[in-house]
Amino acid sequence: MKSFTYLILYILAQNSVNSEKPFKSIPVTVKTYENDTVLLPCYMDEMEAKLRVRWYKDSKLLGDSHTPHEILPPRVRMHTNYSLQVDQLQAQDTADYTCEIIRPEPWGPIRQTHSIEVQYSPTIKTIPEDGFLEVRKGEYVDIGCETSGTPPPIVDWRKNGEAMALLEHRSRIRFRAEHRLLAGVYECLANNGVGEPARATITVVIQDAPVVSSERVYVHTAIGLRAALAAKLDFAVPPARTAWYRDGRPVKTDDRIVQMVQDNTHQLIFRNVRKQDLGNYTFRAENKLGMADLMFRLTGVPNAASFKVDVALNKASATSFTLIWEVDSYSTIIEYNLWLRPYYGRLATPEPDSFTTETPVNHWSKIVVPGDSSDGPIHSQIYTVRGLTPSTVYEAIVTSRNRFGWSKPSSILHFATEPGAGRTLPSTSDYTDITPILEESESEPPHNISHAQILGHVNEMSSGARETPCLAAILIISLLIFHLS
Ligand SMILES: *[C@@H]1O[C@H](CO)[C@@H](O)[C@H](O)[C@H]1NC(C)=O
Ligand SMILES: *[C@@H]1O[C@H](CO)[C@@H](O)[C@H](O)[C@H]1NC(C)=O
Ligand SMILES: *[C@@H]1O[C@H](CO)[C@@H](O)[C@H](O)[C@H]1NC(C)=O
Ligand SMILES: *[C@@H]1O[C@H](CO)[C@@H](O)[C@H](O)[C@H]1NC(C)=O
């Protein structure tokens, strides 16, 4: 009796360890498509006639060989050889299918599991469903692409056509609309290797105060000419009211002074400038989230001059150098002021401490150069500076005056004199073969040019270029915060 019990236990143990050994069929995963037919086998080496076989879908009973026609759902058949056939496959047929063979006592049931995966190409449902989201600056943007498809699709995102990193294929993106440039077209792409990937877009609009810019806020003109002030409305969501002001009052327009709007460029046009038109103007754009002002100056004074670099003409000697510059002025140039001083700073970025210790007293000297008698608008001037020190780097700036006044200073020109006869070069000199180099200068009045920071120059374009990585950082940080919380 005791030994018989052991035998049963032994058989049971064998069954549980090697439960699939008696099967001649092997477990399969069938990857297939909609409307296909699949046949799942279930047979043993020595198939006994009076076996009882049950099929399960996941863990739910699907069919029993003792009652073959009672519980089988539509599209599913069990053959006399116990194979299970599923016709016209649909998405819900994706499951594990287990065949269970119930054997006579004392043997327990044995099971074998197959899988069916009905592959579907991906589809996307966007959040929000209409693919459009408008928020105020500072509010949260919550967008997503809910995907379906078998196998589960992987989601990738692009913003305005650029891949977005670090999203770990998530289907939902949430971030704070910290900056209007986070607005744009967010596109999700879902791919599972079946058929074509699916795409969907969500347009995110961020409302903020308007942004205005201009290529030229300092507009040179002369009496009797046509002049135009042009402001660009770079951003206006929601749409902005715009107006031109002079001295705090709206500009009165008539047939001579007209406003024109084309695309996002707003112009104030003077068809025939009169003396009283010269002055300061403001372009203002305003919406419920704020306003932006841009100051313009309509002036008769010359534009800032620019030095010309031409090795053939910039004749250098030990003690002289020939400078060439050009200036736009609709009126005769009365005189130029040429500002000159030896250059002690480094042409490369100065090191902060060496800069303060090295810089000796370094005053600008002014040379008055007479103007020409031409009416312009382009005035060229050549001037040879004499009495310079050999082997020295100089910097030069020029300003111009017509009957309306003094122009803004030109960009800085760096140039060097030749080594002098009988003098040895200072061994540390970096500048022996320097060619003239122009540097951008910020507009600063020439009488206060003794500041070193005149070399600093920021324009709208470069600040725009810096914005992008910063925005990416904001977005990534926002996403990480959401990920953690
Ligand atoms: C499957 O059959 C249905 C109905 O006949 C049809 O609408 C569907 O397009 C078919 N699917 C495929 C992938 O052929
Ligand atoms: C089981 O029966 C079906 C239907 O007769 C047949 O198509 C299939 O090939 C059989 N399977 C095996 C393994 O013999
Ligand atoms: C225009 O603005 C500039 C700079 O703000 C100022 O120096 C100048 O006096 C103003 N001109 C007039 C006519 O108001
Ligand atoms: C120019 O700058 C100096 C400081 O370097 C200052 O003392 C002086 O008052 C300024 N001149 C004018 C006209 O602003």
Side-chain angles (χ1 to χ4, degrees):
M1 190 64 200
K2 205 171 187 182
S3 62
F4 181 65
T5 314
Y6 279 137
L7 178 65
I8 291 172
L9 286 176
Y10 173 73
I11 289 166
L12 288 173
Q14 278 294 93
N15 278 342
S16 61
V17 171
N18 265 336
S19 66
E20 297 194 346
K21 190 141 188 205
F23 280 101
K24 197 173 167 195
S25 51
I26 52 166
V28 288
T29 296
V30 184
K31 296 193 179 193
T32 183
Y33 297 94
E34 190 183 7
N35 300 340
D36 279 0
T37 293
V38 166
L39 196 62
L40 299 174
C42 179
Y43 60 106
M44 302 208 309
D45 247 345
E46 299 134 28
M47 196 66 112
E48 292 166 51
K50 296 184 292 294
L51 283 181
R52 180 175 188 178
V53 170
R54 281 178 177 151
W55 278 95
Y56 295 85
K57 179 180 177 183
D58 292 327
S59 50
K60 191 174 148 280
L61 183 64
L62 200 61
D64 188 326
S65 60
H66 277 27
T67 56
H69 306 295
E70 281 175 23
I71 48 174
L72 281 168
R75 300 186 292 108
V76 181
R77 275 185 279 170
M78 200 196 289
H79 291 296
T80 48
N81 60 14
Y82 306 118
S83 291
L84 188 77
Q85 182 171 332
V86 186
D87 294 322
Q88 285 184 308
L89 281 165
Q90 292 172 10
Q92 66 266 28
D93 297 326
T94 294
D96 286 344
Y97 291 82
T98 303
C99 147
E100 180 184 62
I101 296 178
I102 297 148
R103 297 178 295 179
E105 292 290 332
W107 295 288
I110 54 169
R111 298 181 187 93
Q112 182 173 59
T113 300
H114 307 286
S115 306
I116 296 178
E117 193 176 288
V118 185
Q119 302 187 91
Y120 277 86
S121 54
T123 57
I124 295 176
K125 198 177 126 196
T126 57
I127 302 166
E129 213 162 332
D130 62 359
F132 183 85
L133 182 67
E134 183 159 347
V135 300
R136 280 182 176 220
K137 181 180 171 179
E139 290 178 344
Y140 285 95
V141 171
D142 183 350
I143 55 175
C145 283
E146 280 177 352
T147 61
S148 59
T150 309
I154 286 174
V155 179
D156 284 301
W157 289 89
R158 296 173 82 78
K159 185 197 162 210
N160 296 337
E162 306 255 333
M164 294 173 73
L166 291 180
L167 292 180
E168 290 153 0
H169 303 304
R170 69 188 66 195
S171 61
R172 203 78 181 249
I173 305 183
R174 276 158 57 83
F175 59 90
R176 191 196 273 273
E178 312 243 23
H179 197 288
R180 66 190 164 84
L181 292 185
L182 291 169
V185 176
Y186 289 78
E187 181 186 34
C188 58
L189 185 136
N191 192 2
N192 67 354
V194 181
E196 289 295 306
R199 290 163 200 275
T201 60
I202 300 144
T203 302
V204 174
V205 172
I206 296 174
Q207 300 182 342
D208 197 359
V211 176
V212 296
S213 70
S214 177
E215 282 170 14
R216 186 175 285 255
V217 295
Y218 192 86
V219 178
H220 171 66
T221 187
I223 310 304
L225 293 184
R226 179 189 188 273
L229 309 180
K232 231 173 94 210
L233 192 52
D234 293 319
F235 174 82
V237 179
R241 289 181 302 284
T242 61
W244 288 95
Y245 293 91
R246 179 172 184 183
D247 304 324
R249 261 164 300 191
V251 173
K252 284 207 189 74
T253 54
D254 50 31
D255 349 334
R256 198 175 60 81
I257 304 177
V258 294
Q259 285 190 53
M260 240 179 72
V261 182
Q262 193 171 26
D263 300 328
N264 59 350
T265 301
H266 294 246
Q267 291 195 87
L268 185 65
I269 295 167
F270 302 84
R271 294 212 158 115
N272 184 341
V273 173
R274 292 184 187 163
K275 189 161 195 305
Q276 69 265 26
D277 296 335
L278 302 181
N280 293 336
Y281 293 83
T282 302
F283 175 74
R284 172 170 295 175
E286 191 172 4
N287 66 15
K288 64 177 176 186
L289 289 158
M291 70 178 193
D293 277 355
L294 200 57
M295 289 277 295
F296 287 83
R297 197 158 175 193
L298 185 64
T299 173
V301 307
N303 279 339
S306 57
F307 283 108
K308 298 289 149 196
V309 174
D310 182 335
V311 180
L313 295 173
N314 296 131
K315 289 183 295 265
S317 78
T319 57
S320 72
F321 194 90
T322 301
L323 295 165
I324 309 138
W325 64 88
E326 258 177 31
V327 62
D328 290 349
S329 169
Y330 291 112
S331 319
T332 306
I333 299 288
I334 299 162
E335 61 176 337
Y336 299 99
N337 278 355
L338 183 59
W339 302 80
L340 217 63
R341 67 175 179 186
Y343 180 66
Y344 296 124
R346 303 242 158 233
L347 282 177
T349 318
E351 288 156 35
D353 33 346
S354 70
F355 199 76
T356 51
T357 54
E358 256 179 36
T359 311
V361 187
N362 187 12
H363 290 300
W364 291 93
S365 359
K366 183 176 84 176
I367 301 168
V368 177
V369 180
D372 54 30
S373 55
S374 89
D375 281 344
I378 297 175
H379 306 256
S380 295
Q381 189 62 247
I382 292 197
Y383 185 80
T384 302
V385 193
R386 300 182 195 284
L388 299 173
T389 312
S391 302
T392 304
V393 176
Y394 285 89
E395 47 190 348
I397 287 172
V398 67
T399 58
S400 331
R401 182 167 78 88
N402 65 11
R403 66 193 178 95
F404 295 101
W406 281 103
S407 74
K408 301 214 167 204
S410 66
S411 301
I412 296 179
L413 177 80
H414 288 102
F415 64 90
T417 47
E418 298 278 303
R423 279 188 53 164
T424 52
L425 282 179
S427 59
T428 53
S429 173
D430 300 333
Y431 310 125
T432 51
D433 55 359
I434 194 166
T435 48
I437 293 170
L438 280 171
E439 288 193 29
E440 294 294 317
S441 76
E442 235 328 75
S443 43
E444 194 165 320
H447 54 262
N448 222 356
I449 239 152
S450 53
H451 302 253
Q453 60 267 36
I454 192 165
L455 298 179
H457 181 74
V458 179
N459 61 30
E460 167 75 4
M461 217 194 302
S462 67
S463 72
R466 274 198 304 271
E467 244 166 5
T468 316
C470 160
L471 283 169
I474 290 172
L475 183 54
I476 287 165
I477 290 166
S478 316
L479 289 167
L480 288 176
I481 289 166
F482 267 103
H483 195 49
L484 295 174
S485 56

